[in-house]
Amino acid sequence: MTELAAVKAALRTQAVETPSWAYGNSGTRFKVFAQAGVPRDPFEKLDDAGKVHEFTGVAPTVALHIPWDRVDDYAALSAHAADRGVRIGAVNSNTFQDDDYRLGSICHPDAAVRRKAVDHLLECVGIMDATGSRDLKLWFADGTNYPGQDDIRSRQDRLAEGLAEVYERLGEGQRMLLEYKLFEPAFYTTDVPDWGTAYAHCLKLGEKAKVVVDTGHHAPGTNIEFIVASLLREGKLGGFDFNSRFYADDDLMAGAADPFQLFRIMYEVVRGGGFSSDVAFMLDQCHNIEGKIPAIIRSVMNVQEATAKALLVDAEALAAAQADGDVLEANAVLMDAYNTDVRPLLREVRGEMGLDPEPMKAYRACGWGEKVVAERVGGQQAGWGA
Ligand code: AOS
Ligand code: ZN
Ligand code: ZN
């Protein structure tokens, strides 16, 4: 297979998981700008996700968030997903909204609250059984706001104990993906603040536990690709929550703030063999001021472009330049790939997949945005960017 053919083949097999919550109204703690026609239930979220996959061809799975996507019949939800050409992906737990979780959930000083949190995680694993999901995605808002509020070590012990119980529950082929976040909503300590903490817990838990790198969860200037390379090298990179940030966990469209960083991350994924293995490429973003479906399509396209550039890196020339200590040549090899306009290549790949080469234009022309507004809100005008 020629190199270009291999790149195209890889781009055809790429899968970017879209988050159910990105289709619904969400925003910042200051304001949620509600948009007309957003899904009213998880079934309609899958309808919209089906459109993203229909036009991009590389978004076949949809992450759920429990309880936001709790339904009576998960088999029916899975069947509905299949009707829309998609499948249910990761199940995201939520131990950050209940009043009981004011001082934390799985790390809470009160055993009864910890029990409630672990029971919720066990419920999520039960849902995975029903939907056939592989991944349980865990992000804990747990932490403290003031020195002395709670004991840092004891919170780690509680975390380890709760995770171990859930880990034991995992079935055949199921995984636990532990996501870290530097801060927010806790501001003094976060109980899983960085990749080292997440990695240490996953190492202790076992093979099925891996780390999720959310690209918005680091201090400014963090070399995220170094973390990716290190976790891949240890076989502990479970996946990504892709989004963009300018300042903090901004949850903007993936690739919109720093496409060069996204390219460097994807290069380390390709270099580390993560592209063909079990690394989950998930989006985790919210669309407060822009149309949701088009923003998700744009995000998928941005991930594709970064991936295509990473796949075009001349690995042989780069290795040779690195071995020679030829700093400028090695940098030039990487920059050549980054500076390649891969949109024609992606248009070709989409054409070969039987898709419109321009998914964004095709989506906007299909009238789905207008249709769902008419159906879901009865005649209101379609919102901006529908
Ligand atoms: C929170 O900041 C984390 O990124 C979570 O992955 C996610 O945003 C939250 O669980 C909502 O899905
Ligand atoms: Zn995330
Ligand atoms: Zn986040």
Side-chain angles (χ1 to χ4, degrees):
M1 191 187 286
T2 64
E3 193 199 77
L4 191 58
V7 168
K8 285 179 159 184
L11 291 170
R12 276 197 295 275
T13 59
Q14 178 160 32
V16 179
E17 181 159 302
T18 67
S20 66
W21 54 95
Y23 295 97
N25 279 324
S26 57
T28 67
R29 62 179 172 174
F30 302 104
K31 171 70 179 165
V32 172
F33 290 101
Q35 295 183 27
V38 297
R40 295 163 296 186
D41 58 44
F43 293 86
E44 291 184 346
K45 291 178 187 175
L46 293 170
D47 295 343
D48 289 5
K51 284 297 164 190
V52 172
H53 185 50
E54 178 185 331
F55 288 101
T56 64
V58 292
T61 57
V62 187
L64 295 186
H65 207 290
I66 304 300
W68 302 341
D69 296 319
R70 196 174 270 148
V71 294
D72 296 335
D73 184 344
Y74 290 98
L77 192 65
S78 297
H80 187 83
D83 283 349
R84 296 299 181 274
V86 292
R87 297 187 316 278
I88 290 171
V91 173
N92 287 256
S93 63
N94 179 331
T95 53
F96 53 83
Q97 278 183 309
D98 193 307
D99 287 343
D100 288 342
Y101 296 141
R102 182 172 60 88
L103 300 179
S105 62
I106 195 169
C107 302
H108 197 287
D110 179 343
V113 176
R114 298 200 297 274
R115 181 71 257 150
K116 175 175 177 171
V118 170
D119 286 346
H120 167 69
L121 303 185
L122 295 173
E123 177 201 3
C124 290
V125 181
I127 292 169
M128 290 163 64
D129 293 342
T131 59
S133 298
R134 175 187 66 178
D135 293 335
L136 170 65
K137 182 146 150 276
L138 303 174
W139 169 70
F140 297 107
D142 288 49
T144 61
N145 278 358
Y146 296 100
Q149 176 186 330
D150 198 349
D151 181 65
I152 293 174
R153 286 179 64 123
S154 305
R155 291 182 74 94
Q156 291 299 304
D157 295 341
R158 298 169 202 155
L159 174 63
E161 191 185 326
L163 289 177
E165 182 177 344
V166 179
Y167 186 88
E168 284 316 304
R169 169 63 182 78
L170 291 175
E172 191 57 36
Q174 292 177 337
R175 307 188 310 174
M176 169 191 277
L177 305 185
L178 181 57
E179 179 180 1
Y180 60 88
K181 180 173 181 178
L182 179 65
F183 82 106
E184 188 190 46
F187 296 107
Y188 171 58
T189 62
T190 295
D191 292 306
V192 188
D194 52 36
W195 75 280
T197 307
Y199 174 68
H201 281 284
C202 289
L203 207 54
K204 274 213 188 84
L205 287 164
E207 254 314 289
K208 298 179 179 182
K210 299 193 185 259
V211 179
V212 167
V213 176
D214 182 308
T215 49
H217 285 190
H218 306 80
T222 301
N223 185 326
I224 299 176
E225 61 268 31
F226 180 89
I227 298 170
V228 169
S230 302
L231 287 172
L232 267 173
R233 184 169 171 275
E234 299 297 335
K236 279 294 183 187
L237 179 64
F240 293 93
D241 268 3
F242 283 126
N243 49 59
S244 266
R245 53 159 298 154
F246 288 98
Y247 296 98
D249 189 24
D250 310 336
D251 279 349
L252 300 174
M253 293 188 291
D258 188 345
F260 184 37
Q261 179 189 63
L262 186 55
F263 158 75
R264 299 194 315 265
I265 289 170
M266 289 313 291
Y267 168 70
E268 291 305 333
V269 171
V270 170
R271 163 79 180 79
F275 189 64
S276 53
S277 74
D278 284 339
V279 173
F281 298 100
M282 302 175 276
L283 300 180
D284 172 21
Q285 44 193 55
C286 298
H287 305 292
N288 195 20
I289 61 169
E290 69 271 21
K292 298 164 192 299
I293 297 176
I296 297 171
I297 290 174
R298 173 59 61 198
S299 299
V300 172
M301 292 170 71
N302 288 347
V303 172
Q304 284 186 296
E305 288 186 27
T307 305
K309 291 171 183 258
L311 288 165
L312 287 177
V313 172
D314 182 339
E316 233 171 272
L318 183 59
Q322 288 170 342
D324 292 346
D326 189 339
V327 173
L328 293 178
E329 178 55 21
N331 175 255
V333 170
L334 204 71
M335 294 312 291
D336 278 352
Y338 176 65
N339 291 324
T340 303
D341 182 352
V342 293
R343 290 171 296 180
L345 170 64
L346 283 163
R347 282 195 282 268
E348 229 176 277
V349 167
R350 294 186 190 110
E352 290 163 5
M353 292 170 73
L355 301 172
D356 188 303
E358 294 287 359
M360 186 67 99
K361 285 195 192 113
Y363 168 74
R364 286 213 143 134
C366 80
W368 179 260
E370 292 71 17
K371 177 175 178 291
V372 291
V373 168
E375 281 171 8
R376 296 173 186 171
V377 291
Q380 262 190 19
Q381 288 309 313
W384 14 266

